[in-house]
Amino acid sequence: RVALRGNVVAFVCVHGRSDGGNVARIRRSFDVGTTWGDPVELPVADTEVSGLAASPEGGVLVAGVCKEPGASCKAGATVLV
């Protein structure tokens, strides 16, 4: 998934982990993709993220991720990155 708002671009990809779980890797750019910040990783209960949105101030909302890793990972409320 990709989100764009003003000069802010964000994208997320879901990757498998060695322990069998999945992690969403989120990257963000404040200059329309010329440079990218370090990735933020959040656990996911499924194989995809259900939503992604960016604000012109740089906030990124991610839906379908878990706040904490673990066997009880269940996607809850939208997380602000």
Side-chain angles (χ1 to χ4, degrees):
R1 296 197 183 264
V2 176
L4 171 66
R5 184 66 168 240
N7 288 336
V8 178
V9 181
F11 73 90
V12 62
C13 296
V14 176
H15 302 275
R17 295 187 317 218
S18 60
D19 67 0
N22 294 313
V23 64
R25 182 173 293 156
I26 301 121
R27 303 275 316 250
R28 173 177 33 199
S29 170
F30 292 95
D31 54 14
V32 196
T34 301
T35 60
W36 294 90
D38 292 332
V40 174
E41 292 188 347
L42 295 169
V44 292
D46 203 351
T47 57
E48 69 178 65
V49 170
S50 58
L52 185 70
S55 77
E57 294 81 23
V60 176
L61 293 171
V62 186
V65 296
C66 305
K67 290 184 179 180
E68 300 292 331
S72 63
C73 175
K74 292 186 180 14
T78 302
V79 175
L80 177 64
V81 176

